[in-house]
Amino acid sequence: MLTDEFAIDKTVITGSEGNELVMYYLEFNGGKDVITNLSFDEIKRLSAFLNEYIKKEGGVR
C-alpha cells in the first residue's frame, strides 16, 4: 500500500480486436479520495487550471 500524499494509477484496457482505452485515476488524501476515469489531456488541463488558480490566489511569488 502506498503512503504517498498523491498517486496516479494508469489503466490500459485492451479489447479482443486490439483496441485500447487508457484511463487515469488520481488518488489523494492517503488514497481516501479518488478522481476516476480521466484522460491524459484532462490531467494536463487540470494541472494548468490549478497552476493558474494558485497564481491568482497569490501562492506563487
Side-chain angles (χ1 to χ4, degrees), residues 2-61:
L2 290 176
T3 58
D4 300 65
E5 183 177 6
F6 300 98
I8 298 177
D9 180 24
K10 176 182 176 181
T11 300
V12 179
I13 301 168
T14 304
S16 61
E17 296 180 15
N19 298 311
E20 288 188 345
L21 175 64
V22 179
M23 299 305 293
Y24 296 86
Y25 304 85
L26 303 180
E27 298 181 13
F28 52 100
N29 194 17
K32 294 177 186 172
D33 298 306
V34 180
I35 301 174
T36 62
N37 300 325
L38 292 170
S39 68
F40 190 70
D41 285 336
E42 289 171 319
I43 292 173
K44 292 191 294 187
R45 290 195 308 272
L46 176 60
S47 176
F49 165 74
L50 292 173
N51 286 327
E52 285 302 310
Y53 181 81
I54 290 168
K55 286 179 189 175
K56 289 178 184 177
E57 288 294 312
V60 175
R61 300 180 199 278

